Amino acid sequence: ATSTLDYAWEMGAAYVPPAFPPHFDGHLAPLRGDDDPLIIAHTPTNPAICHTTEFMHEARAVGAVVRFGHQKPHAEIIALKRTCNAAFDHLRGSFSVNTLEATALGLVPLVGLRPEYRDLMCSQGFTPPPFPALHTLEGLREWLGRLADDPKLTRDLQIAARLWQHHFYTDARPAIEAFYRGLVDRSRS
């Protein structure tokens, strides 16, 4: 079993999401206002593998404000994310806990999610994620431009992300229970 879609796909393992959703006591990021710039959090654990240089270039090209956090205490990272409208994770093909935190806070998640990983997730009964379809740097560029130019689209996706996060963990409960029930059943055999 694995808690990431890429490992589940590549290894033929059971997809068992992180068992505990991030809870932030209702302190969500603000919805983007009509006259507000697009503010994007980027909080990579390892910038070298998270397309940080490319993202920074593209975000600045569309006039977005980037709030970068690296090697800081978790509470500071969450506080930084709460000041944003969106969050960029990476373009590696599967979302991480970073993306899940972003959705829980009501940020538009910008993450590369390969179609086969999305399909795997949906085939296991999970609500399809409302993430923008980013597979390449060109896709990231396109979505950054769309979001920068459209505060209403940003707000709509912020709301959709938060609702999806709730459904994701609601959907995850049966998958987690079924996985562990299967382990218990096999151990009794």
Side-chain angles (χ1 to χ4, degrees), residues 174-187:
I176 293 167
E177 289 172 10
F179 174 75
Y180 286 110
R181 198 172 307 111
L183 289 178
V184 169
D185 292 345
R186 281 193 292 270
S187 71

Side-chain angles (χ1 to χ4, degrees), residues 74-187:
H74 188 250
E76 286 182 34
I77 295 295
I78 296 303
L80 179 147
K81 288 179 181 178
R82 278 195 178 111
T83 67
C84 300
N85 321 111
F88 175 69
D89 199 347
H90 54 70
L91 295 173
R92 293 193 319 258
S94 180
F95 59 82
S96 70
V97 171
N98 194 356
T99 296
L100 296 176
E101 284 179 352
T103 60
L105 290 166
L107 303 176
V108 177
L110 299 169
V111 61
L113 182 58
R114 289 175 49 179
E116 60 267 31
Y117 299 166
R118 181 187 294 258
D119 292 347
L120 171 68
M121 193 176 144
C122 294
S123 75
Q124 293 188 12
F126 289 89
T127 304
F131 307 167
L134 306 176
H135 309 293
T136 64
L137 185 57
E138 291 75 28
L140 174 63
R141 183 179 303 124
E142 175 190 339
W143 270 99
L144 287 172
R146 288 178 68 185
L147 292 171
D149 292 343
D150 194 339
K152 182 183 181 321
L153 175 63
T154 305
R155 283 192 301 274
D156 291 347
L157 288 173
Q158 284 183 265
I159 293 165
R162 179 67 176 122
L163 292 172
W164 176 82
Q165 195 271 349
H166 172 74
H167 287 293
F168 178 76
Y169 282 105
T170 301
D171 294 346
R173 289 183 192 124
I176 293 167
E177 289 172 10
F179 174 75
Y180 286 110
R181 198 172 307 111
L183 289 178
V184 169
D185 292 345
R186 281 193 292 270
S187 71

Side-chain angles (χ1 to χ4, degrees), residues 42-56 68-71 88-90 92:
H42 183 48
T43 58
T45 302
N46 182 350
I49 64 169
C50 289
H51 305 90
T52 296
T53 301
E54 298 89 344
F55 162 72
M56 295 290 218
F68 182 77
H70 177 62
Q71 295 185 339
F88 175 69
D89 199 347
H90 54 70
R92 293 193 319 258

